[in-house]
mmCIF file of all heavy atoms in Angstrom:
data_model
loop_
_atom_site.group_PDB
_atom_site.id
_atom_site.type_symbol
_atom_site.label_atom_id
_atom_site.label_comp_id
_atom_site.label_asym_id
_atom_site.label_seq_id
_atom_site.Cartn_x
_atom_site.Cartn_y
_atom_site.Cartn_z
ATOM 1 N N ALA A 66 -77.538 45.755 15.979
ATOM 2 C CA ALA A 66 -78.783 45.286 15.345
ATOM 3 C C ALA A 66 -79.657 44.572 16.476
ATOM 4 O O ALA A 66 -80.912 44.752 16.480
ATOM 5 C CB ALA A 66 -78.544 44.344 14.280
ATOM 6 N N VAL A 70 -83.243 45.592 17.849
ATOM 7 C CA VAL A 70 -84.345 44.671 17.758
ATOM 8 C C VAL A 70 -84.980 44.579 19.168
ATOM 9 O O VAL A 70 -86.215 44.666 19.398
ATOM 10 C CB VAL A 70 -83.906 43.273 17.297
ATOM 11 C CG1 VAL A 70 -84.978 42.194 17.621
ATOM 12 C CG2 VAL A 70 -83.558 43.331 15.861
ATOM 13 N N ASP A 71 -84.065 44.525 20.251
ATOM 14 C CA ASP A 71 -84.546 44.382 21.668
ATOM 15 C C ASP A 71 -85.311 45.630 21.925
ATOM 16 O O ASP A 71 -86.448 45.610 22.673
ATOM 17 C CB ASP A 71 -83.373 44.299 22.579
ATOM 18 C CG ASP A 71 -82.724 42.975 22.491
ATOM 19 O OD1 ASP A 71 -83.361 42.079 21.870
ATOM 20 O OD2 ASP A 71 -81.636 42.673 23.009
ATOM 21 N N SER A 74 -88.642 45.427 20.256
ATOM 22 C CA SER A 74 -89.482 44.416 20.859
ATOM 23 C C SER A 74 -90.045 44.899 22.277
ATOM 24 O O SER A 74 -91.208 44.688 22.618
ATOM 25 C CB SER A 74 -88.648 43.159 21.175
ATOM 26 O OG SER A 74 -88.159 42.712 20.003
ATOM 27 N N ASP A 93 -102.694 53.612 32.833
ATOM 28 C CA ASP A 93 -102.377 52.279 32.430
ATOM 29 C C ASP A 93 -101.232 51.828 33.355
ATOM 30 O O ASP A 93 -100.522 52.688 34.024
ATOM 31 C CB ASP A 93 -101.746 52.373 31.044
ATOM 32 C CG ASP A 93 -100.534 53.252 30.836
ATOM 33 O OD1 ASP A 93 -99.404 52.671 30.968
ATOM 34 O OD2 ASP A 93 -100.583 54.487 30.526
ATOM 35 N N ASN A 134 -101.091 38.517 30.130
ATOM 36 C CA ASN A 134 -100.832 37.371 29.278
ATOM 37 C C ASN A 134 -101.445 37.459 27.957
ATOM 38 O O ASN A 134 -100.870 37.136 26.920
ATOM 39 C CB ASN A 134 -101.382 36.074 30.003
ATOM 40 C CG ASN A 134 -100.229 35.446 30.955
ATOM 41 O OD1 ASN A 134 -99.264 34.984 30.412
ATOM 42 N ND2 ASN A 134 -100.562 35.305 32.177
ATOM 43 N N GLY A 181 -120.787 53.377 71.796
ATOM 44 C CA GLY A 181 -120.774 51.936 72.175
ATOM 45 C C GLY A 181 -121.994 51.177 71.700
ATOM 46 O O GLY A 181 -123.066 51.643 71.623
ATOM 47 N N LYS A 185 -119.024 47.855 66.298
ATOM 48 C CA LYS A 185 -117.836 48.420 65.762
ATOM 49 C C LYS A 185 -116.733 47.374 65.819
ATOM 50 O O LYS A 185 -115.868 47.216 64.832
ATOM 51 C CB LYS A 185 -117.357 49.602 66.572
ATOM 52 C CG LYS A 185 -115.865 50.191 66.347
ATOM 53 C CD LYS A 185 -115.605 51.481 67.106
ATOM 54 C CE LYS A 185 -115.983 51.170 68.527
ATOM 55 N NZ LYS A 185 -115.198 50.051 69.287
ATOM 56 N N GLY A 200 -105.108 38.196 50.679
ATOM 57 C CA GLY A 200 -103.663 38.082 50.490
ATOM 58 C C GLY A 200 -102.898 39.090 51.239
ATOM 59 O O GLY A 200 -101.668 38.998 51.090
ATOM 60 N N GLY A 212 -112.728 48.340 77.883
ATOM 61 C CA GLY A 212 -113.705 47.167 77.531
ATOM 62 C C GLY A 212 -113.162 46.425 76.371
ATOM 63 O O GLY A 212 -113.848 46.419 75.261
ATOM 64 N N GLU A 231 -84.637 41.836 75.451
ATOM 65 C CA GLU A 231 -83.463 42.566 74.951
ATOM 66 C C GLU A 231 -83.956 43.875 74.364
ATOM 67 O O GLU A 231 -83.282 44.864 74.547
ATOM 68 C CB GLU A 231 -82.779 41.599 73.939
ATOM 69 C CG GLU A 231 -82.143 40.459 74.543
ATOM 70 C CD GLU A 231 -81.363 39.539 73.644
ATOM 71 O OE1 GLU A 231 -81.434 39.941 72.268
ATOM 72 O OE2 GLU A 231 -80.883 38.528 73.915
ATOM 73 N N GLU A 239 -101.144 35.815 67.813
ATOM 74 C CA GLU A 239 -101.503 35.494 66.349
ATOM 75 C C GLU A 239 -102.643 34.525 66.281
ATOM 76 O O GLU A 239 -102.549 33.538 67.019
ATOM 77 C CB GLU A 239 -100.307 35.104 65.576
ATOM 78 C CG GLU A 239 -100.558 35.287 64.013
ATOM 79 C CD GLU A 239 -99.120 35.031 63.289
ATOM 80 O OE1 GLU A 239 -98.108 35.616 63.748
ATOM 81 O OE2 GLU A 239 -99.294 34.345 62.245
ATOM 82 N N MET A 286 -111.163 51.363 67.313
ATOM 83 C CA MET A 286 -111.129 52.639 68.183
ATOM 84 C C MET A 286 -112.162 52.556 69.298
ATOM 85 O O MET A 286 -113.263 52.057 69.146
ATOM 86 C CB MET A 286 -111.501 53.788 67.251
ATOM 87 C CG MET A 286 -110.560 54.177 66.203
ATOM 88 S SD MET A 286 -109.020 54.877 66.736
ATOM 89 C CE MET A 286 -109.628 56.592 66.952
ATOM 90 N N PRO A 302 -100.023 57.338 62.094
ATOM 91 C CA PRO A 302 -100.390 58.150 60.833
ATOM 92 C C PRO A 302 -101.477 57.442 60.065
ATOM 93 O O PRO A 302 -101.217 56.533 59.322
ATOM 94 C CB PRO A 302 -99.117 58.025 60.036
ATOM 95 C CG PRO A 302 -98.327 56.847 60.580
ATOM 96 C CD PRO A 302 -98.659 56.700 61.949
ATOM 97 N N ALA A 305 -106.884 56.036 56.651
ATOM 98 C CA ALA A 305 -108.248 56.211 56.386
ATOM 99 C C ALA A 305 -109.045 55.731 57.519
ATOM 100 O O ALA A 305 -108.545 55.071 58.505
ATOM 101 C CB ALA A 305 -108.730 55.574 55.100
ATOM 102 N N VAL A 307 -113.080 54.047 58.706
ATOM 103 C CA VAL A 307 -114.316 53.365 58.422
ATOM 104 C C VAL A 307 -115.257 53.714 59.623
ATOM 105 O O VAL A 307 -114.960 53.452 60.782
ATOM 106 C CB VAL A 307 -114.174 51.890 58.181
ATOM 107 C CG1 VAL A 307 -115.528 51.245 57.988
ATOM 108 C CG2 VAL A 307 -113.297 51.628 57.008
ATOM 109 N N ASN A 340 -124.885 48.996 60.673
ATOM 110 C CA ASN A 340 -125.246 47.671 61.249
ATOM 111 C C ASN A 340 -126.577 47.499 61.792
ATOM 112 O O ASN A 340 -127.217 48.534 62.051
ATOM 113 C CB ASN A 340 -124.160 47.467 62.381
ATOM 114 C CG ASN A 340 -123.990 46.046 62.820
ATOM 115 O OD1 ASN A 340 -124.444 45.066 62.089
ATOM 116 N ND2 ASN A 340 -123.538 45.719 64.020
ATOM 117 N N PRO A 353 -136.363 47.150 62.454
ATOM 118 C CA PRO A 353 -136.828 47.441 63.851
ATOM 119 C C PRO A 353 -136.298 48.691 64.441
ATOM 120 O O PRO A 353 -136.878 49.316 65.245
ATOM 121 C CB PRO A 353 -136.179 46.190 64.544
ATOM 122 C CG PRO A 353 -135.137 45.693 63.746
ATOM 123 C CD PRO A 353 -135.478 45.945 62.333
ATOM 124 N N SER A 386 -118.081 33.190 69.666
ATOM 125 C CA SER A 386 -117.357 31.906 69.575
ATOM 126 C C SER A 386 -115.902 31.900 69.397
ATOM 127 O O SER A 386 -115.272 30.946 69.561
ATOM 128 C CB SER A 386 -118.023 31.018 68.471
ATOM 129 O OG SER A 386 -117.643 31.671 67.189
ATOM 130 N N SER A 422 -98.804 60.916 47.629
ATOM 131 C CA SER A 422 -97.381 60.864 47.073
ATOM 132 C C SER A 422 -97.125 61.865 46.028
ATOM 133 O O SER A 422 -96.056 62.256 45.754
ATOM 134 C CB SER A 422 -97.015 59.440 46.646
ATOM 135 O OG SER A 422 -97.906 59.088 45.526
ATOM 136 N N ARG A 453 -90.572 79.010 51.092
ATOM 137 C CA ARG A 453 -89.665 78.982 51.969
ATOM 138 C C ARG A 453 -89.932 80.178 53.019
ATOM 139 O O ARG A 453 -89.775 80.080 54.233
ATOM 140 C CB ARG A 453 -88.259 79.048 51.458
ATOM 141 C CG ARG A 453 -87.124 79.182 52.458
ATOM 142 C CD ARG A 453 -87.098 77.863 53.192
ATOM 143 N NE ARG A 453 -85.909 78.041 54.217
ATOM 144 C CZ ARG A 453 -85.885 78.608 55.345
ATOM 145 N NH1 ARG A 453 -87.149 79.162 55.845
ATOM 146 N NH2 ARG A 453 -85.026 78.553 56.216
ATOM 147 N N VAL A 493 -96.678 68.168 53.778
ATOM 148 C CA VAL A 493 -95.408 67.680 53.169
ATOM 149 C C VAL A 493 -94.200 68.220 53.924
ATOM 150 O O VAL A 493 -94.268 69.312 54.562
ATOM 151 C CB VAL A 493 -95.362 67.981 51.786
ATOM 152 C CG1 VAL A 493 -96.318 67.294 50.919
ATOM 153 C CG2 VAL A 493 -95.411 69.575 51.452
ATOM 154 N N SER A 494 -93.141 67.485 53.964
ATOM 155 C CA SER A 494 -91.925 67.862 54.499
ATOM 156 C C SER A 494 -90.923 68.346 53.326
ATOM 157 O O SER A 494 -90.687 67.512 52.477
ATOM 158 C CB SER A 494 -91.200 66.740 55.278
ATOM 159 O OG SER A 494 -89.784 67.103 55.721
ATOM 160 N N LEU A 516 -98.200 81.415 41.395
ATOM 161 C CA LEU A 516 -97.566 81.871 40.244
ATOM 162 C C LEU A 516 -98.685 81.899 39.144
ATOM 163 O O LEU A 516 -99.436 80.939 39.002
ATOM 164 C CB LEU A 516 -96.501 80.790 39.868
ATOM 165 C CG LEU A 516 -95.126 80.980 40.727
ATOM 166 C CD1 LEU A 516 -94.302 79.898 40.122
ATOM 167 C CD2 LEU A 516 -94.464 82.325 40.426
#
Side-chain angles (χ1 to χ4, degrees):
V70 169
D71 286 347
S74 304
D93 66 89
N134 268 300
K185 171 180 49 61
E231 294 180 0
E239 196 169 317
M286 299 281 285
V307 174
N340 194 21
S386 67
S422 63
R453 176 67 179 84
V493 290
S494 170
L516 286 174

